[in-house]
Amino acid sequence: MTLQQFMAFALVGIVVAMLVWNRWRFDVVAVLALLAGVALGLVPAKEAFSGFADDIVIIIASALIVSAGIARSGVIDALVRPVAAKLSTPTRQIAFLCGSVAFMSALMKNIGALAIFLPITMQLARRHRTGSHRVLMPMAFASLMGGLMTLVGTSPNIIVSRVRTEIVGQPFSMFDYLPVGLGITIVGLLFLMVGWRLLPQDRSGARSAEETFAVENYASEMRLPASSSFVGRKVGDVDALAEGEAQVIGLIRERFRRYVPDKHWTLLADDVLVLEGDAPALQRIVQGASLEPLGILEGVEGELLAVEAVVTPDSPLSGNSDRKLDLRRRFGVSLLAVSRAGERISRRLHHVMFKEGDLLLLQVPAERYPDALADAGLIPLAERRLQIGRRRPVWVPVGILVVTMLVLAFHLAPLAVTFLAAATAMIVTGVLSVEDAYHAVEWPIIILLAALIPVSGTLESTGATQVISTLLADAARGLPAVACVTLIMAAAMAVTPFLNNAATVLVMAPIGAGVAQQLGLSPDPFLMAVAVGAGSDFLTPIGHQCNTLVMGPGGYRFADYPRLGVPLSLIILALGTWLIVMVWPLGG
């Protein structure tokens, strides 16, 4: 072993130890590792920042932006609503979400499938207060297992198929991977439904303002237009949209007649519904029933924001009402809802006399925010990115997602380019503002990846991976044939967190085929072992982009991954070996 190879092993080992120790933030550790690699001469200075141009960095950032666009569209509520009430525990959420992600990962790139379900998971966790960290890592692992089932599910399967062509003259077909991959996925999902309890219970990602600050008693007035599908339906159907977090407390007809309806009342066109609940719950009702806020701003070009603000003691609103001040004319804002601590608002909104400390939900032109609030003497609260009032049609972000998935399914463009185009489309079409897009990206994760990509590359550039392969080949010669298959799979599992999975296959596939040749056995089970091992990266957040994608939202630490990943890896190691030798006989 040369000095450079020894230093490469030492550097990677120290980085792993520091990440597990968790004394410093993971992005700081990654930058220190990159600087150390440059100082030791392992990473050429001109290549120190090559990680920022790597496809994985672009994929992660773009996938987070696309996910945020889908979350803001309102389509998530439509997807979750039929089953949301039943998915009240982490076990049920894992069964539904992980099963769905695994199935989709067999048909498309697993990172794409995971990105679709990420906002759904966050929504369910918020509604049931179950904690997204209990579900996100199992879901990432499920996406990896689902990718093992078909040729197109994950990159290692495609590369192994090409290697087989070079060795035996024929590639693996689309569903050659299915018997092994399906068995692993089913057993793996059953384990995850129980194994999530191994994860720390005190983890939490960056809390959204929606979770941090909840206002339970907003009062709002919304008109039911004739075009709404809820005309002719019952009041209880509207209440069901908010799942107990908001309700219809009044009904105004014939402009001034106010009623207190029960859930069996039939809704008529142009009814004004008096709603009470937290803003996100009101948002679900407004979007689900296609309601229109009263007094919405008209004739305003550009984006309209729904913002929350508190009435200050010096505010000109204090002691006045919307009707008296005419907020739209004087300040350029429209009143959507009012909340007053310890008191239910019973008067019409435009007659309510504002008091110090009242919380208002306002519609404000983006170009006037925050100047309009300052003029009105209001203090804005943490932004919750609400979509009440004018918003982009749901079909815009959904259309972007559908086109993206079709492009990926038919391999019409590279993965990174496709996701970047989708993220850009979310911004250009107005689904997300530029600020929202930047806010959606987990920048510490991007720094972590970009800094560690050149560091992990030192194992290959110094020839350290060749040292590993030589030792592995020597060890395999004295083992039984089945044990050799297990050894090849275990080695691929161990190497892939520090190389990307494609590089792992390129290194390990020839080794596996060589071992098979030395033993006079068929290369197929050994190549399958490489594919399963390289695609089963459950030990770190940096080996596969699916693991990295959930690290920020789940609030995970480096050491959290092996807590769930080690037992899952051992299960796959044992089950995978047995399935491989049963489906692909060692003797040819």
Side-chain angles (χ1 to χ4, degrees):
M1 183 184 298
T2 66
L3 177 61
Q4 280 200 324
Q5 291 169 351
F6 175 80
M7 289 191 298
F9 281 125
L11 179 59
V12 171
I14 291 172
V15 170
V16 172
M18 291 183 69
L19 290 171
V20 172
W21 184 29
N22 200 43
R23 176 64 177 80
W24 293 334
R25 269 181 42 155
F26 53 80
D27 49 342
V28 175
V29 171
V31 172
L32 289 174
L34 177 59
L35 294 174
V38 174
L40 293 171
L42 298 174
V43 178
K46 64 180 180 180
E47 298 178 10
F49 306 113
S50 59
F52 287 94
D54 193 278
D55 283 0
I56 292 178
V57 173
I58 304 300
I59 291 168
I60 294 294
S62 300
L64 287 169
I65 293 172
V66 172
S67 178
I70 295 298
R72 298 242 354 234
S73 69
V75 70
I76 298 302
D77 284 308
L79 292 174
V80 173
R81 194 177 301 122
V83 295
K86 298 179 180 179
L87 303 180
S88 57
T89 66
T91 299
R92 293 179 181 180
Q93 291 172 13
I94 288 172
F96 174 76
L97 295 170
C98 292
S100 301
V101 168
F103 174 76
M104 290 190 64
S105 295
L107 306 176
M108 58 185 289
K109 290 290 186 181
N110 42 29
I111 181 67
L114 183 61
I116 293 173
F117 282 88
L118 181 61
I120 298 177
T121 306
M122 303 297 287
Q123 183 85 285
L124 283 172
R126 189 195 69 81
R127 289 190 188 181
H128 295 295
R129 295 179 173 86
T130 51
S132 60
H133 64 284
R134 295 181 172 93
V135 182
L136 287 176
M137 189 186 297
M139 197 163 68
F141 289 176
S143 71
L144 298 182
M145 292 187 293
L148 299 176
M149 291 192 285
T150 64
L151 177 67
V152 300
T154 186
S155 299
N157 289 358
I158 298 174
I159 299 174
V160 164
S161 179
R162 293 175 182 171
V163 173
R164 186 176 190 260
T165 303
E166 298 171 359
I167 295 174
V168 303
Q170 186 176 358
F172 286 122
S173 66
M174 178 71 171
F175 296 106
D176 280 346
Y177 299 90
L178 186 60
V180 175
L182 181 60
I184 288 174
T185 301
I186 292 174
V187 174
L189 290 176
L190 292 174
F191 166 75
L192 292 175
M193 291 170 62
V194 178
W196 65 267
R197 295 174 176 84
L198 297 172
L199 293 171
Q201 301 304 301
D202 59 347
R203 298 292 184 259
S204 62
R207 291 173 64 85
S208 67
E210 181 175 302
E211 296 172 301
T212 304
F213 186 85
V215 181
E216 304 297 341
N217 62 336
Y218 264 124
S220 180
E221 296 176 357
M222 302 284 171
R223 187 179 70 88
L224 182 69
S227 58
S228 172
S229 61
F230 276 68
V231 173
R233 296 178 64 174
K234 306 298 183 182
V235 169
D237 295 332
V238 176
D239 289 341
L241 295 174
E243 299 176 352
E245 296 181 13
Q247 60 182 333
V248 179
I249 63 171
L251 200 63
I252 301 172
R253 287 178 175 167
E254 300 169 4
R255 297 185 62 184
F256 63 90
R257 294 184 182 277
R258 181 166 180 152
Y259 305 93
V260 180
D262 65 29
K263 63 180 180 180
H264 300 295
W265 276 42
T266 300
L267 296 171
L268 306 178
D270 294 321
D271 277 350
V272 175
L273 280 62
V274 182
L275 307 174
E276 183 179 74
D278 189 21
L282 296 181
Q283 174 177 286
R284 293 202 295 274
I285 290 180
V286 170
Q287 294 178 347
S290 301
L291 303 181
E292 296 178 351
L294 298 183
I296 192 170
L297 292 175
E298 299 290 351
V300 177
E301 297 295 330
E303 185 180 7
L304 291 174
L305 305 177
V307 300
E308 297 166 285
V310 178
V311 177
T312 65
D314 300 327
S315 170
L317 275 65
S318 184
N320 291 301
S321 65
D322 180 22
R323 182 173 183 178
K324 183 176 180 180
L325 287 176
D326 194 353
L327 297 181
R328 278 179 288 173
R329 180 187 61 79
R330 185 168 177 180
F331 301 108
V333 301
S334 178
L335 180 66
L336 299 179
V338 179
S339 175
R340 180 171 295 164
E343 183 178 337
R344 168 173 280 187
I345 304 296
S346 58
R347 304 183 66 183
R348 295 294 303 269
L349 286 187
H350 58 280
H351 289 300
V352 172
M353 302 296 288
F354 301 123
K355 296 181 180 180
E356 174 189 347
D358 281 354
L359 185 58
L360 311 182
L361 181 60
L362 303 167
Q363 189 179 60
V364 184
E367 62 181 15
R368 287 275 297 147
Y369 174 79
D371 292 339
L373 298 189
D375 293 343
L378 303 173
I379 299 177
L381 294 181
E383 187 179 354
R384 297 206 267 186
R385 290 173 169 75
L386 302 170
Q387 292 285 303
I388 297 177
R390 193 175 75 190
R391 60 189 179 93
R392 292 287 174 178
V394 171
W395 65 264
V396 174
V398 173
I400 293 171
L401 182 63
V402 170
V403 172
T404 301
M405 296 302 104
L406 289 175
V407 171
L408 293 177
F410 291 98
H411 305 284
L412 301 179
L415 184 62
V417 173
T418 302
F419 265 110
L420 181 60
T424 304
M426 290 288 183
I427 297 171
V428 172
T429 58
V431 175
L432 291 174
S433 67
V434 175
E435 291 76 13
D436 287 336
Y438 278 114
H439 182 82
V441 177
E442 297 280 351
W443 293 107
I445 301 298
I446 299 301
I447 299 298
L448 170 74
L449 280 176
L452 286 189
I453 285 171
V455 173
S456 63
T458 61
L459 293 176
E460 192 169 5
S461 62
T462 61
T465 52
Q466 187 60 40
V467 173
I468 298 174
S469 65
T470 301
L471 294 173
L472 192 63
D474 292 340
R477 291 192 182 95
L479 296 175
V482 174
C484 289
V485 173
T486 304
L487 179 64
I488 293 296
M489 189 188 303
M493 285 182 174
V495 171
T496 195
F498 308 104
L499 299 176
N500 64 67
N501 49 22
T504 298
V505 173
L506 293 175
V507 171
M508 294 300 305
I511 295 174
V515 170
Q517 185 178 14
Q518 290 178 13
L519 298 176
L521 301 174
S522 168
D524 287 343
F526 291 87
L527 292 176
M528 276 289 170
V530 171
V532 171
S536 302
D537 180 13
F538 309 117
L539 303 179
T540 74
I542 58 176
H544 196 281
Q545 56 263 39
C546 288
N547 292 349
T548 310
L549 184 62
V550 301
M551 187 178 185
Y556 298 122
R557 300 173 184 172
F558 191 95
D560 294 340
Y561 285 79
R563 293 181 65 160
L564 186 61
V566 167
L568 181 58
S569 297
L570 293 176
I571 290 172
I572 291 177
L573 196 60
L575 178 64
T577 300
W578 181 77
L579 288 172
I580 287 172
V581 298
M582 290 293 293
V583 176
W584 301 92
L586 291 167

